Amino acid sequence: MIYFVWLPLLVPFLAAPAGRRLASNLPPRQAVWLLTATAAGLAAACCCALALLVVPGATHLHAVAALGHLLTPLDSGSPDAVITIALTAGALLAWCTGRLVHGVRRRWSQLRRAAGLAAEADGELVVLPDEHPDAYALPGRPGRIVVTSGMLRALSAAEREALLAHERAHLRGRHHVFTAVVDLAALCHPALRTLREPLAYALERSADECAARAVGSRQLTARAIGRAALAARASSATGRTRPAPALPATAGPVPRRVAALLGDGTEPRTARPLARPFAALALVACLALSTGASLHAADDLHDGIEVAQGETP
Protein backbone atom coordinates (compact mmCIF):
# COMPACT_ATOMS: atom_id res chain seq x y z
CA MET A 1 0.00 0.00 0.00
CA ILE A 2 2.81 2.38 0.89
CA TYR A 3 3.71 2.84 -2.78
CA PHE A 4 0.34 2.96 -4.52
CA VAL A 5 -1.21 5.26 -1.94
CA TRP A 6 1.05 8.13 -3.00
CA LEU A 7 -0.07 8.11 -6.63
CA PRO A 8 -3.43 9.90 -6.06
CA LEU A 9 -1.48 12.71 -4.40
CA LEU A 10 0.89 13.08 -7.36
CA VAL A 11 -1.35 12.46 -10.40
CA PRO A 12 -3.19 15.85 -10.18
CA PHE A 13 0.06 17.56 -11.13
CA LEU A 14 -0.06 15.67 -14.45
CA ALA A 15 -3.68 16.63 -15.17
CA ALA A 16 -3.03 20.38 -15.44
CA PRO A 17 -1.27 20.47 -18.86
CA ALA A 18 -3.73 17.95 -20.29
CA GLY A 19 -6.65 20.07 -19.06
CA ARG A 20 -5.37 23.21 -20.77
CA ARG A 21 -4.93 21.41 -24.09
CA LEU A 22 -8.26 19.62 -23.77
CA ALA A 23 -10.28 22.84 -23.53
CA SER A 24 -8.86 24.02 -26.86
CA ASN A 25 -9.21 20.80 -28.82
CA LEU A 26 -12.27 18.92 -27.59
CA PRO A 27 -15.85 20.00 -28.35
CA PRO A 28 -16.86 22.39 -25.53
CA ARG A 29 -19.66 20.31 -24.01
CA GLN A 30 -17.49 17.19 -23.87
CA ALA A 31 -14.60 19.20 -22.43
CA VAL A 32 -16.84 20.59 -19.67
CA TRP A 33 -18.00 17.15 -18.56
CA LEU A 34 -14.55 15.55 -18.75
CA LEU A 35 -12.81 18.37 -16.87
CA THR A 36 -15.45 18.36 -14.15
CA ALA A 37 -15.44 14.57 -13.75
CA THR A 38 -11.65 14.54 -13.66
CA ALA A 39 -11.44 17.25 -11.01
CA ALA A 40 -14.07 15.56 -8.82
CA GLY A 41 -12.52 12.10 -9.24
CA LEU A 42 -8.97 13.24 -8.52
CA ALA A 43 -10.11 15.18 -5.45
CA ALA A 44 -11.99 12.15 -4.11
CA ALA A 45 -8.99 9.88 -4.71
CA CYS A 46 -6.71 12.38 -2.97
CA CYS A 47 -8.92 12.43 0.16
CA CYS A 48 -9.14 8.64 0.07
CA ALA A 49 -5.34 8.37 -0.08
CA LEU A 50 -4.96 10.65 2.92
CA ALA A 51 -7.44 8.55 4.88
CA LEU A 52 -5.58 5.36 3.96
CA LEU A 53 -2.31 6.89 5.16
CA VAL A 54 -3.88 7.63 8.55
CA VAL A 55 -4.97 4.04 9.25
CA PRO A 56 -1.56 2.30 9.71
CA GLY A 57 -0.39 4.87 12.23
CA ALA A 58 -3.75 4.88 14.00
CA THR A 59 -3.47 1.13 14.64
CA HIS A 60 -0.66 1.87 17.07
CA LEU A 61 -3.30 3.34 19.39
CA HIS A 62 -4.76 0.78 21.78
CA ALA A 63 -8.30 2.04 21.28
CA VAL A 64 -8.08 1.67 17.49
CA ALA A 65 -6.42 -1.75 17.79
CA ALA A 66 -9.18 -2.92 20.11
CA LEU A 67 -11.88 -1.55 17.82
CA GLY A 68 -10.41 -3.42 14.85
CA HIS A 69 -9.70 -6.56 16.88
CA LEU A 70 -6.02 -6.28 15.95
CA LEU A 71 -3.44 -8.43 17.65
CA THR A 72 -0.58 -6.24 16.38
CA PRO A 73 -0.34 -2.86 14.60
CA LEU A 74 -0.24 -2.92 10.83
CA ASP A 75 3.21 -3.77 9.47
CA SER A 76 3.81 -0.79 7.16
CA GLY A 77 7.38 0.14 8.01
CA SER A 78 9.15 1.86 10.85
CA PRO A 79 6.65 2.75 13.64
CA ASP A 80 8.08 6.27 13.98
CA ALA A 81 7.79 6.92 10.24
CA VAL A 82 4.30 5.39 10.04
CA ILE A 83 3.02 7.47 12.96
CA THR A 84 4.58 10.66 11.53
CA ILE A 85 2.97 10.03 8.15
CA ALA A 86 -0.37 9.29 9.80
CA LEU A 87 -0.28 12.51 11.83
CA THR A 88 0.63 14.57 8.76
CA ALA A 89 -2.01 12.90 6.61
CA GLY A 90 -4.62 13.31 9.35
CA ALA A 91 -3.86 17.01 9.67
CA LEU A 92 -4.11 17.47 5.89
CA LEU A 93 -7.37 15.50 5.75
CA ALA A 94 -8.86 17.60 8.55
CA TRP A 95 -7.71 20.77 6.79
CA CYS A 96 -9.26 19.65 3.48
CA THR A 97 -12.50 18.69 5.23
CA GLY A 98 -12.72 22.06 6.92
CA ARG A 99 -12.08 23.88 3.64
CA LEU A 100 -14.71 21.78 1.88
CA VAL A 101 -17.33 22.44 4.55
CA HIS A 102 -16.59 26.15 4.46
CA GLY A 103 -16.59 26.15 0.64
CA VAL A 104 -19.94 24.36 0.42
CA ARG A 105 -21.51 26.72 2.95
CA ARG A 106 -20.15 29.76 1.12
CA ARG A 107 -21.39 28.48 -2.25
CA TRP A 108 -24.81 27.72 -0.83
CA SER A 109 -25.01 31.19 0.69
CA GLN A 110 -23.99 32.79 -2.61
CA LEU A 111 -26.59 30.80 -4.54
CA ARG A 112 -29.30 31.71 -2.04
CA ARG A 113 -28.48 35.40 -2.40
CA ALA A 114 -28.44 35.07 -6.19
CA ALA A 115 -31.76 33.24 -6.12
CA GLY A 116 -33.17 36.02 -3.96
CA LEU A 117 -32.05 38.66 -6.43
CA ALA A 118 -33.43 36.66 -9.34
CA ALA A 119 -36.78 36.17 -7.60
CA GLU A 120 -37.26 39.92 -7.35
CA ALA A 121 -37.50 40.20 -11.16
CA ASP A 122 -40.77 39.57 -13.00
CA GLY A 123 -39.37 38.15 -16.23
CA GLU A 124 -36.31 36.36 -17.55
CA LEU A 125 -34.59 39.59 -18.59
CA VAL A 126 -33.57 42.22 -16.08
CA VAL A 127 -32.38 45.55 -17.49
CA LEU A 128 -30.34 47.70 -15.12
CA PRO A 129 -30.26 51.47 -15.74
CA ASP A 130 -26.47 51.60 -15.81
CA GLU A 131 -24.20 53.19 -18.42
CA HIS A 132 -21.48 50.61 -17.76
CA PRO A 133 -21.84 47.84 -20.41
CA ASP A 134 -22.33 44.49 -18.69
CA ALA A 135 -24.31 41.30 -19.10
CA TYR A 136 -24.38 38.10 -17.06
CA ALA A 137 -26.51 35.08 -16.16
CA LEU A 138 -27.74 34.94 -12.56
CA PRO A 139 -28.56 31.40 -11.37
CA GLY A 140 -31.82 30.89 -9.52
CA ARG A 141 -35.20 29.18 -9.74
CA PRO A 142 -35.69 30.28 -12.38
CA GLY A 143 -32.49 32.06 -13.38
CA ARG A 144 -32.36 35.56 -14.78
CA ILE A 145 -30.36 37.33 -17.46
CA VAL A 146 -29.07 40.68 -16.25
CA VAL A 147 -27.99 43.29 -18.79
CA THR A 148 -27.29 46.98 -18.40
CA SER A 149 -28.72 49.72 -20.57
CA GLY A 150 -25.15 50.60 -21.56
CA MET A 151 -24.64 47.13 -23.01
CA LEU A 152 -27.94 47.24 -24.89
CA ARG A 153 -26.94 50.52 -26.52
CA ALA A 154 -23.55 49.13 -27.50
CA LEU A 155 -25.06 46.31 -29.60
CA SER A 156 -27.40 46.07 -32.54
CA ALA A 157 -30.74 44.27 -32.21
CA ALA A 158 -29.36 41.07 -33.76
CA GLU A 159 -26.25 41.20 -31.57
CA ARG A 160 -28.40 41.64 -28.47
CA GLU A 161 -30.29 38.47 -29.36
CA ALA A 162 -27.02 36.56 -29.73
CA LEU A 163 -25.77 37.89 -26.39
CA LEU A 164 -29.01 36.91 -24.64
CA ALA A 165 -28.85 33.46 -26.24
CA HIS A 166 -25.34 33.05 -24.81
CA GLU A 167 -26.51 33.88 -21.30
CA ARG A 168 -29.60 31.72 -21.72
CA ALA A 169 -27.31 28.79 -22.54
CA HIS A 170 -25.47 29.33 -19.24
CA LEU A 171 -28.75 29.09 -17.33
CA ARG A 172 -30.15 26.10 -19.20
CA GLY A 173 -26.88 24.21 -18.94
CA ARG A 174 -26.60 25.00 -15.20
CA HIS A 175 -22.99 25.96 -15.80
CA HIS A 176 -22.63 27.37 -12.29
CA VAL A 177 -22.84 23.77 -10.97
CA PHE A 178 -19.79 22.71 -13.00
CA THR A 179 -17.87 25.73 -11.76
CA ALA A 180 -18.80 24.93 -8.16
CA VAL A 181 -17.67 21.29 -8.46
CA VAL A 182 -14.23 22.21 -9.80
CA ASP A 183 -13.81 25.03 -7.28
CA LEU A 184 -14.60 22.64 -4.43
CA ALA A 185 -12.29 19.97 -5.86
CA ALA A 186 -9.49 22.54 -5.96
CA LEU A 187 -9.81 22.90 -2.19
CA CYS A 188 -8.63 19.28 -1.82
CA HIS A 189 -5.47 19.55 -3.90
CA PRO A 190 -3.60 22.72 -5.02
CA ALA A 191 -2.80 21.31 -8.49
CA LEU A 192 -6.52 21.08 -9.32
CA ARG A 193 -6.75 24.88 -9.26
CA THR A 194 -5.20 24.87 -12.71
CA LEU A 195 -8.34 23.20 -14.10
CA ARG A 196 -10.46 26.25 -13.29
CA GLU A 197 -9.24 28.28 -16.26
CA PRO A 198 -9.74 25.59 -18.94
CA LEU A 199 -13.17 24.79 -17.48
CA ALA A 200 -14.20 28.46 -17.56
CA TYR A 201 -13.07 28.66 -21.19
CA ALA A 202 -14.93 25.46 -22.11
CA LEU A 203 -18.11 26.77 -20.45
CA GLU A 204 -17.94 30.02 -22.39
CA ARG A 205 -17.27 28.14 -25.62
CA SER A 206 -20.22 25.85 -24.92
CA ALA A 207 -22.49 28.87 -24.43
CA ASP A 208 -21.05 30.46 -27.59
CA GLU A 209 -21.90 27.38 -29.66
CA CYS A 210 -25.43 27.24 -28.21
CA ALA A 211 -25.93 30.92 -29.02
CA ALA A 212 -24.66 30.41 -32.59
CA ARG A 213 -27.16 27.61 -33.12
CA ALA A 214 -29.97 29.66 -31.57
CA VAL A 215 -29.46 32.70 -33.84
CA GLY A 216 -28.34 30.65 -36.83
CA SER A 217 -25.07 32.52 -37.41
CA ARG A 218 -21.59 31.93 -36.02
CA GLN A 219 -20.39 35.24 -37.48
CA LEU A 220 -23.15 37.18 -35.73
CA THR A 221 -22.40 35.48 -32.42
CA ALA A 222 -18.68 36.18 -32.77
CA ARG A 223 -19.39 39.83 -33.56
CA ALA A 224 -21.74 40.16 -30.58
CA ILE A 225 -19.24 38.60 -28.14
CA GLY A 226 -16.40 40.72 -29.50
CA ARG A 227 -18.30 44.01 -29.43
CA ALA A 228 -19.67 43.31 -25.95
CA ALA A 229 -16.15 42.66 -24.64
CA LEU A 230 -14.77 45.80 -26.29
CA ALA A 231 -17.62 47.91 -24.90
CA ALA A 232 -17.09 46.54 -21.37
CA ARG A 233 -13.34 47.16 -21.48
CA ALA A 234 -13.71 50.64 -22.96
CA SER A 235 -15.88 51.73 -20.04
CA SER A 236 -14.03 53.75 -17.43
CA ALA A 237 -16.28 52.51 -14.60
CA THR A 238 -14.39 50.88 -11.75
CA GLY A 239 -15.28 49.17 -8.52
CA ARG A 240 -18.33 47.41 -9.96
CA THR A 241 -18.99 43.89 -8.80
CA ARG A 242 -21.31 41.13 -9.93
CA PRO A 243 -23.00 38.56 -7.69
CA ALA A 244 -20.55 35.73 -7.02
CA PRO A 245 -22.28 32.96 -9.07
CA ALA A 246 -22.84 35.26 -12.08
CA LEU A 247 -21.62 34.03 -15.48
CA PRO A 248 -20.67 37.02 -17.68
CA ALA A 249 -20.68 36.87 -21.48
CA THR A 250 -17.35 38.69 -21.72
CA ALA A 251 -15.37 36.32 -19.49
CA GLY A 252 -12.30 34.39 -20.56
CA PRO A 253 -10.02 34.89 -23.57
CA VAL A 254 -12.49 36.57 -25.93
CA PRO A 255 -10.12 36.61 -28.97
CA ARG A 256 -9.76 32.81 -28.76
CA ARG A 257 -13.52 32.42 -28.46
CA VAL A 258 -14.14 34.66 -31.46
CA ALA A 259 -11.52 32.80 -33.52
CA ALA A 260 -13.15 29.47 -32.67
CA LEU A 261 -16.58 30.78 -33.68
CA LEU A 262 -15.27 32.07 -36.98
CA GLY A 263 -13.51 28.76 -37.63
CA ASP A 264 -14.76 25.22 -37.25
CA GLY A 265 -15.16 25.33 -33.48
CA THR A 266 -11.51 24.65 -32.65
CA GLU A 267 -8.44 26.84 -32.51
CA PRO A 268 -6.40 26.53 -35.72
CA ARG A 269 -3.12 26.91 -33.89
CA THR A 270 -3.70 23.79 -31.78
CA ALA A 271 -6.15 21.80 -33.87
CA ARG A 272 -3.87 18.93 -34.91
CA PRO A 273 -5.18 15.47 -35.87
CA LEU A 274 -3.93 13.74 -32.69
CA ALA A 275 -4.45 16.66 -30.27
CA ARG A 276 -8.07 15.91 -29.41
CA PRO A 277 -7.79 12.19 -28.55
CA PHE A 278 -4.41 12.65 -26.85
CA ALA A 279 -5.67 15.36 -24.46
CA ALA A 280 -8.83 13.43 -23.64
CA LEU A 281 -6.98 10.14 -23.15
CA ALA A 282 -4.40 11.84 -20.94
CA LEU A 283 -7.09 13.09 -18.57
CA VAL A 284 -8.91 9.74 -18.59
CA ALA A 285 -5.60 8.01 -17.88
CA CYS A 286 -4.94 10.34 -14.93
CA LEU A 287 -8.37 9.62 -13.51
CA ALA A 288 -8.04 5.85 -14.06
CA LEU A 289 -4.53 5.75 -12.56
CA SER A 290 -5.57 7.71 -9.48
CA THR A 291 -8.72 5.67 -8.92
CA GLY A 292 -6.95 2.36 -9.55
CA ALA A 293 -4.13 3.24 -7.16
CA SER A 294 -6.62 4.16 -4.42
CA LEU A 295 -8.50 0.88 -4.85
CA HIS A 296 -5.26 -1.12 -4.88
CA ALA A 297 -4.04 0.64 -1.74
CA ALA A 298 -7.39 -0.01 -0.02
CA ASP A 299 -7.19 -3.69 -0.97
CA ASP A 300 -3.63 -3.94 0.39
CA LEU A 301 -4.78 -2.24 3.59
CA HIS A 302 -7.58 -4.77 3.96
CA ASP A 303 -5.09 -7.63 3.58
CA GLY A 304 -2.84 -5.99 6.15
CA ILE A 305 -5.70 -5.71 8.63
CA GLU A 306 -6.47 -9.42 8.22
CA VAL A 307 -2.83 -10.27 8.94
CA ALA A 308 -2.84 -8.01 12.00
CA GLN A 309 -5.98 -9.79 13.20
CA GLY A 310 -4.17 -13.12 13.00
CA GLU A 311 -6.06 -14.32 9.95
CA THR A 312 -4.48 -15.94 6.91
CA PRO A 313 -4.09 -13.39 4.05
Side-chain angles (χ1 to χ4, degrees):
M1 183 193 78
I2 194 63
Y3 301 107
F4 284 95
V5 76
W6 295 104
L7 285 178
L9 304 177
L10 300 176
V11 169
F13 292 102
L14 303 177
R20 287 192 294 268
R21 183 170 292 275
L22 180 83
S24 299
N25 293 283
L26 204 67
R29 183 175 176 82
Q30 297 177 22
V32 167
W33 279 99
L34 185 53
L35 285 168
T36 305
T38 299
L42 293 181
C46 176
C47 292
C48 180
L50 290 175
L52 292 174
L53 285 171
V54 171
V55 175
T59 60
H60 287 266
L61 299 175
H62 294 296
V64 175
L67 183 64
H69 305 288
L70 305 181
L71 300 179
T72 60
L74 294 183
D75 184 15
S76 300
S78 169
D80 291 339
V82 169
I83 292 174
T84 300
I85 291 174
L87 289 174
T88 304
L92 289 174
L93 186 61
W95 181 64
C96 289
T97 302
R99 282 165 59 86
L100 275 176
V101 171
H102 177 71
V104 169
R105 292 180 60 184
R106 182 180 59 187
R107 280 278 173 177
W108 181 252
S109 177
Q110 291 172 349
L111 287 175
R112 288 186 62 184
R113 286 197 296 269
L117 293 173
E120 295 177 358
D122 295 330
E124 179 192 48
L125 180 63
V126 180
V127 179
L128 300 180
D130 191 339
E131 293 301 318
H132 174 62
D134 199 8
Y136 53 86
L138 191 63
R141 292 186 178 180
R144 299 287 187 260
I145 298 173
V146 181
V147 61
T148 64
S149 56
M151 181 63 79
L152 293 178
R153 278 193 289 271
L155 305 177
S156 66
E159 291 167 349
R160 293 173 200 160
E161 185 58 34
L163 186 70
L164 296 180
H166 173 97
E167 298 299 349
R168 196 173 292 116
H170 278 316
L171 294 177
R172 290 178 177 173
R174 300 186 66 80
H175 289 174
H176 65 284
V177 175
F178 296 97
T179 301
V181 170
V182 174
D183 284 347
L184 292 175
L187 298 177
C188 300
H189 197 291
L192 296 179
R193 298 174 187 171
T194 57
L195 296 182
R196 291 173 175 172
E197 183 179 348
L199 175 72
Y201 175 71
L203 287 172
E204 293 303 324
R205 285 284 301 114
S206 179
D208 289 343
E209 293 296 329
C210 289
R213 288 192 296 270
V215 301
S217 173
R218 300 177 67 85
Q219 290 76 16
L220 173 61
T221 305
R223 188 166 65 249
I225 297 300
R227 291 189 64 180
L230 288 174
R233 293 177 183 178
S235 174
S236 59
T238 57
R240 298 181 182 274
T241 58
R242 306 183 185 99
L247 296 166
T250 56
V254 174
R256 287 173 58 192
R257 291 168 53 193
V258 170
L261 280 169
L262 295 178
D264 62 351
T266 60
E267 297 178 43
R269 180 173 54 85
T270 58
R272 298 169 183 169
L274 296 179
R276 294 186 183 186
F278 176 79
L281 288 175
L283 273 190
V284 172
C286 287
L287 183 57
L289 178 62
S290 185
T291 303
S294 297
L295 293 176
H296 191 282
D299 185 61
D300 282 353
L301 178 63
H302 179 266
D303 292 341
I305 290 176
E306 289 185 341
V307 172
Q309 289 174 336
E311 302 179 9
T312 303

